[in-house]
Each structure stands twice: as C-alpha cells, then as structure tokens.
Amino acid sequence: MLATVFVVRKRERAKTYSIFKWYLVSTAFFSDIAYVVLRGLSLLSILPDRAAANTWAVTYNVGVVTLSVLVFLLVRDLYSHAMAHLPGMESLGTLILYGSLVVSVVMVFGVVFSPHPSGYRILYLALYQIERCSYILVLCLFTFFALTAQKLGMTYGSRAFGVSFGIAILATDHLVMNALNWGQSEAHMLAVNLIGEFVQVGAIALWMVYFLKAEPERRLVTVDMHSPLVRWNEVAQMLGNPAGRVVVSSPSTFVPEVREVVASATAGGAQRPPNLGLAANATSR
C-alpha cells in the first residue's frame, strides 16, 4: 500500500486522486501498521495481551468507519470525473449517491434496533452493515464504468477506471471472504485469508501499473443528437442542474424605428437613405 502511495504521489501532480491517496494510507495503517505495532508490543511484554487485543478491536472498528467514509468520497469523486462532460447527469447522479448514503444509514439503524443479542454483537453487526454497503457501492460504480467508459470519453486504460477496478477487486474479495469464513473453523479461515492476501497484492500491483504508465488523453463526448444519453442529460439539467440563463433586457427600440422609417417612406417624405435617428422628426414636420 505504501509503495502505491509513493507512485500515486509521484505521478499525479494535480491532486485529482487525493481521496484515493488517503484511502491507501488509511488502509495501510488500519490493516497492517497498527496490527504489527500492537502485536510487537504484546510479544515484547510492553503491553499486556488483553490490552493489546482491546486496542486492536477499537482500532479495527475505527478503521472500518474511516475506510467506509473514504470509499464513499472516492466513489463521488470518480463519478464526478467521469461525468465532467455531462453536468446534468453528474448533478443528478451525485444526488442519487447521497440518497444511497441515507438509505445505508437507515439500514444500519435498522440492524442496531432489531432484536438480537446485545453488547459487542450490536456494534459488530452495525459495522459489518456499513462495510457491506460501501462494497456494494464500489461494485455499482465499477459496473457503471465498465458499461459506459467508452461513451463518456474514457478508455479502459484511464486511471479512473483502474482505481475503480482495483477497489472493486478488494470489495469482491472482502464480500467473498466474509461469506466463506462465516461459522467456519480457524484452519479454514486461515486458508481463505491467505488467498485474500494474494488478491490484495494483485489489486495493489494493478494500481501501480495504471499510475506508472502515461494517462491516455480523454476524448470529447460525441453522441448522436437523439441519443438517450443526451435526453437524460437534458432531463437532469431541468431537475437539478439547469443550464445557464440569460437576462433579457427591455424591449428593443429597433422595430418601432423601422416602422417609422417605412411610414415616412410611404408618405413620400424621405428621398435619401433613411436616418434611423431623425426619421421620427422628419415625419412630424
């Protein structure tokens, strides 16, 4: 993870993926660094085993919430980057994204207040629900990119697609691991976790490849004028992000002056090219 942070920081100067860098740093800290430090303090008898276990439990729970928030912010930024050429769709999609966040919070409260064993079990189920909602959101974003990347002017070699691809791999890995480890023996869980470690290394290697190579130039979005994408963008602009408006001034005086010139010419009072500024005075005489 730290190697990927170095690559991202070195290759990306515009801070386009700042949330992604914080996600990598937080993942490295909560998943690896904190565990190694607490384990080392416990083995050196500097920290009692029970205190180390309790500290790790608190650190892990804080890490789940922190990473879930960063995943939501990352999905929002990647979606905004992908829909930069369609501001109406970007605005409407962001609104739907925040709506999904509200639904996730409601689901978490539903888990907390539903009948089940009390104590730490409540916190575990709530954190598991938060983590699962963030993973599902990531998989939805990757599916959206996989189906619409070409139409949005991106390629499968763009870094936005690579970031979503790697996080989708991690999300699938966590969901599968949680399903396989549910109610299994310790030996079975160890084997599954070992496979998960290889999958995580593969995702990290994928990110490094995407950020080490040059970023492909993004194409402009060119679609048929009757494309459903254009229609949806127009609907989204009317609902959430209307196009720019022009202030209309008072009625122009050009048309009345033209009428006066025509009336003057009909009456035979103007033999030379009409002067718009003096036409009314000439007629009155």
Side-chain angles (χ1 to χ4, degrees), residues 244-248:
R245 298 179 181 272
V246 179
V247 178
V248 180

Side-chain angles (χ1 to χ4, degrees), residues 58-123:
V58 174
T59 304
Y60 176 80
N61 295 335
V62 173
V64 170
V65 177
T66 302
L67 292 176
S68 299
V69 172
L70 289 175
V71 165
F72 173 80
L73 296 176
L74 181 59
V75 169
R76 184 200 61 183
D77 287 355
L78 291 176
Y79 179 80
S80 299
H81 173 73
M83 306 300 293
H85 297 314
L86 298 170
M89 292 290 290
E90 190 272 334
S91 177
L92 184 60
T94 303
L95 183 63
I96 296 175
L97 189 62
Y98 280 102
S100 67
L101 176 63
V102 174
V103 173
S104 300
V105 172
V106 172
M107 292 176 63
V108 171
F109 277 102
V111 169
V112 171
F113 293 106
S114 61
H116 49 64
S118 59
Y120 182 76
R121 182 71 174 172
I122 298 177
L123 180 61

Side-chain angles (χ1 to χ4, degrees), residues 181 185-198:
N181 288 335
S185 63
E186 185 176 352
H188 182 273
M189 293 174 59
L190 181 61
V192 173
N193 291 336
L194 182 60
I195 297 175
E197 292 293 334
F198 284 105

